[in-house]
Amino acid sequence: MPKTGEQAYIYAKACGIIGKSFVGKRIGRLGSITRLTELDRLMFPQSYRDLPERELLGDLERRIINHSVSQITDIINGYKKPPEFLIRLLRSYEYGDLKNALAALAGKEPRVPAYTDLGRFRTVHFEAYPDLSRMLGGTEFAFLLAEPFTGRGEDIQTQTKLDQLYYGALWDSLFKLPKQERSGIELILAEEIALRNVSWALRLRTYYQMGEAEIRDKLVFLQYPKAPSRALRPATLADEALAVIDLPLDTYSAWQSWKRAGFLNPEQPGAPWHVDPRYFQNAAAEHLYTLALHHFHRHPFAIDIAACFIKLKQFEDDLLTGVAEGLSLGIPIKDVFTLLDVEP
């Protein structure tokens, strides 16, 4: 495990980066922005692009993500022997890029979508696109090569397999860390997986009209590796999703005794109510961000600090790309914050 001096250096460096990031009180600095070009100049004052706004969006989003990945990589490289758990947190970007590449392949796109270079931590050879064998051969994703890729009806099933692989490996690597190194991030990751299961179940019910059996097959069934030390721990991290898997989607009162009822879209006077998966997902993201912000300073000499740092930078990614997309559509910044369930 990292030595105290090494961890103190990482903590100081992470604090310096977070102090200049758009989290916490600094989110309020986004409140006066009215145009995409203004966001570009705020984010990259020394290297902003002189592009028409219709061309700027994708370029800006890619630079925002690359900037975060560079900062995360710097923190991980601060360890003489980077913990596997932190590397797997970083590689969430690779999982997302792979999903995009597979979607492009299914759509017979001639070029690979933009992807993030993880340097020595990358495993997928995106430059070999569209040759899937060369892209995935020798990686943990090689199981996707077992059957011919047709691109027909595979999207949800492939996303499920990738999510189950990602969270399973991440969960396993978490419990390789000493207990005192992981207390904050253990709570955050357990919440993330549980809420991801709920969000996914709501999406599948609402947008695809899937039933219980189909949805069960697509959840992430993980549990603590030893008998729970606290009686309140669920048997699996899919329990909260299973608890509401057959509740009526159009009856608000039926959900009120559920643990996560506060994450649901409220009733509007005179209007019919229906579960809104996007509202739930945004509320869950805000909850996870608050947990990461709370735990960031609690254990400065534990790996918790780097894990919470990564989670905060990923929240910032989502916030800034969401703001960029909203501005590109002409949505006022205050309305963007409302849509993202963010309080500046």
Side-chain angles (χ1 to χ4, degrees):
M1 287 297 104
K3 296 181 179 179
T4 302
E6 181 181 66
Q7 192 61 56
Y9 167 78
I10 288 169
Y11 176 57
K13 188 167 187 176
C15 285
I17 295 172
I18 290 298
K20 298 177 182 178
S21 299
F22 291 93
V23 298
K25 294 180 180 179
R26 291 195 86 243
I27 293 177
R29 294 191 61 189
L30 301 171
S32 61
I33 293 176
T34 59
R35 297 177 62 85
L36 198 58
T37 51
E38 294 175 18
L39 178 61
D40 191 11
R41 283 168 169 77
L42 179 63
M43 285 296 304
F44 303 101
Q46 306 301 321
S47 58
Y48 60 84
R49 305 283 203 236
D50 186 18
L51 292 173
E53 292 206 355
R54 64 180 182 278
E55 300 176 18
L56 182 58
L57 178 60
D59 179 82
L60 177 57
E61 289 181 327
R62 181 50 48 188
R63 282 183 287 132
I64 287 170
I65 292 173
N66 285 339
H67 182 62
S68 286
V69 166
S70 175
Q71 291 178 322
I72 292 170
T73 302
D74 282 347
I75 292 297
I76 294 177
N77 281 331
Y79 292 95
K80 185 176 181 180
K81 186 178 180 181
E84 177 191 352
F85 179 73
L86 298 182
I87 295 172
R88 288 199 171 275
L89 280 178
L90 171 65
R91 288 187 55 228
S92 65
Y93 292 96
E94 185 173 64
Y95 277 76
D97 289 340
L98 178 56
K99 289 178 182 178
N100 291 337
L102 291 174
L105 190 61
K108 302 188 184 304
E109 297 291 335
R111 295 183 180 180
V112 63
Y115 59 89
T116 305
D117 184 6
L118 302 185
R120 69 188 180 108
F121 300 117
R122 77 161 191 172
T123 66
V124 177
H125 296 280
F126 289 104
E127 72 280 0
Y129 179 94
D131 188 334
L132 201 59
S133 295
R134 289 177 55 207
M135 287 173 59
L136 306 182
T139 75
E140 64 186 353
F141 306 111
F143 71 92
L144 293 173
L145 303 174
E147 297 180 4
F149 184 82
T150 65
R152 293 192 299 271
E154 295 172 336
D155 182 54
I156 293 177
Q157 193 61 34
T158 299
Q159 285 192 47
T160 297
K161 290 179 180 178
L162 290 176
D163 285 350
Q164 291 172 340
L165 174 65
Y166 172 71
Y167 281 116
L170 189 61
W171 190 247
D172 288 345
S173 66
L174 171 68
F175 288 96
K176 293 177 183 177
L177 300 174
K179 187 174 181 179
Q180 67 272 18
E181 294 281 339
R182 67 172 196 258
S183 60
I185 194 61
E186 180 181 327
L187 169 64
I188 294 167
L189 183 57
E191 287 283 275
E192 178 180 335
I193 297 171
L195 292 169
R196 177 267 175 207
N197 276 324
V198 174
S199 181
W200 192 228
L202 294 180
R203 288 175 59 196
L204 293 176
R205 289 189 66 192
T206 301
Y207 304 136
Y208 298 94
Q209 292 76 51
M210 287 190 182
E212 180 177 345
E214 289 180 288
I215 293 173
R216 277 178 174 270
D217 184 54
K218 294 169 178 58
L219 300 180
V220 178
F221 281 86
L222 291 172
Q223 59 189 47
Y224 289 87
K226 296 180 180 180
S229 58
R230 298 194 300 267
L232 295 179
R233 282 183 175 174
T236 79
L237 296 177
D239 286 7
E240 291 183 35
L242 295 176
V244 293
I245 203 167
D246 58 355
L247 290 184
L249 295 173
D250 58 356
T251 307
Y252 186 71
S253 59
W255 297 73
Q256 293 313 290
S257 62
W258 180 47
K259 177 181 178 180
R260 306 291 185 176
F263 290 32
L264 297 171
N265 50 302
E267 285 186 301
Q268 300 296 330
W273 182 85
H274 198 282
V275 170
D276 184 348
R278 291 169 297 181
Y279 188 100
F280 181 91
Q281 184 173 334
N282 288 339
E286 176 70 12
H287 170 67
L288 295 171
Y289 155 71
T290 301
L291 285 177
L293 196 61
H294 174 72
H295 284 277
F296 178 64
H297 293 290
R298 293 196 68 182
H299 303 103
F301 302 115
I303 290 173
D304 253 357
I305 190 70
C308 288
F309 169 84
I310 294 172
K311 285 298 180 184
L312 289 173
K313 292 303 296 183
Q314 291 174 338
F315 165 82
E316 184 191 36
D317 285 347
D318 291 340
L319 170 64
L320 292 174
T321 54
V323 166
E325 290 170 4
L327 291 172
S328 72
L329 295 172
I331 302 175
I333 192 70
K334 65 177 183 178
D335 293 337
V336 175
F337 284 155
T338 299
L339 289 170
L340 297 176
D341 196 24
V342 172
E343 294 185 9

